[in-house]
Amino acid sequence: MPERANVRNLVPIAELLSYRLSRTSAALSRSAALRYRREFDVTLGEWRAIALIASDPTLTLNRLARRAGLDKAQMSRIVTKLTERGLVNRTAGSGRTSQLALTETGVEVYRGLIHAANERDATFLAVLSPEERKVLVGALDKLADLALDIERQERDHTNSP
C-alpha cells in the first residue's frame, strides 16, 4: 500500500497558486463582463472576439476560436450574433473559410471597449508600485511559459501508449 502524504505538510487549496490565480482571473472576468454588458451590450466572449478581430484582420473562425480559447462551435455562435448585430462581416475566403472583419459600427464599439479595458487595466495596476508591476509582468511571463510546457508534457503523457 502506498504511503500517504502527511496532510499537515500539504498546502490547502485556498493557498495553491493555481487556485488563487484562477479565482483572481474569474473575478477580473466577472467584473469586466458586467461593465461590458452594461456599457456596450456585449458578452465577455463577444468582447474577446471583437478585440481579437480588431488586432488581426486576417482571422478565420478557426484561428479566432483558438486564440480566444474557445471551441469552434462556441465561437461560431458568437460571430453569428456579432454579424447579426452588424458588428462583424464575414467574407468568403479560400475553401470553406471566411475572413472576419469589424464593420464601421464594430470598430466604434471596439474603440469604446478597448478604452474601458485600458481603464480597468490601469485601475488594477495602480495598486502596485512600479517595481511590483515589473515583477508581476515577469512572473506572469515565466508562469505562462511553464504552464504551456507542463500542458505539452501532460498531452504527451496522455497520448503515449
Side-chain angles (χ1 to χ4, degrees):
M1 184 165 176
E3 266 187 59
R4 296 185 76 183
N6 185 344
V7 175
R8 285 177 278 184
N9 295 333
L10 298 177
V11 176
I13 189 170
E15 294 177 26
L16 291 173
L17 176 63
S18 59
Y19 181 77
R20 293 178 73 197
L21 286 171
S22 178
R23 286 188 45 94
T24 301
S25 176
L28 289 166
S29 291
R30 284 190 307 270
S31 65
L34 290 167
R35 180 172 180 184
Y36 301 158
R37 172 65 78 187
R38 183 184 73 246
E39 292 184 18
F40 304 99
D41 193 29
V42 298
T43 66
L44 201 54
E46 290 168 342
W47 146 240
R48 288 182 180 149
I50 289 168
L52 289 168
I53 293 168
S55 68
D56 184 355
T58 67
L59 283 180
T60 61
L61 183 65
N62 285 340
R63 288 177 49 213
L64 176 61
R66 276 194 306 275
R67 288 195 187 162
L70 299 174
D71 66 46
K72 185 180 172 185
Q74 288 174 299
M75 187 53 73
S76 180
R77 287 189 293 274
I78 289 170
V79 169
T80 296
K81 285 182 185 177
L82 293 172
T83 302
E84 289 169 355
R85 290 183 54 199
L87 301 176
V88 171
N89 276 332
R90 285 180 161 179
T91 308
S94 62
R96 294 177 47 194
T97 66
S98 57
Q99 296 296 126
L100 304 171
L102 296 180
T103 63
E104 286 184 37
T105 304
V107 169
E108 289 304 312
V109 169
Y110 168 72
R111 287 186 182 133
L113 283 163
I114 197 66
H115 179 75
N118 276 267
E119 279 181 355
R120 287 175 40 76
D121 199 58
T123 298
F124 289 114
L125 292 174
V127 302
L128 303 174
S129 70
E131 182 61 27
E132 287 172 324
R133 285 183 218 139
K134 184 178 177 182
V135 169
L136 176 63
V137 168
L140 288 174
D141 287 344
K142 285 182 178 181
L143 289 169
D145 290 344
L146 179 59
L148 290 171
D149 286 344
I150 291 172
E151 180 184 10
R152 277 191 282 280
Q153 291 171 16
E154 291 296 335
R155 284 185 198 282
D156 292 345
H157 182 70
T158 301
N159 295 331
S160 64

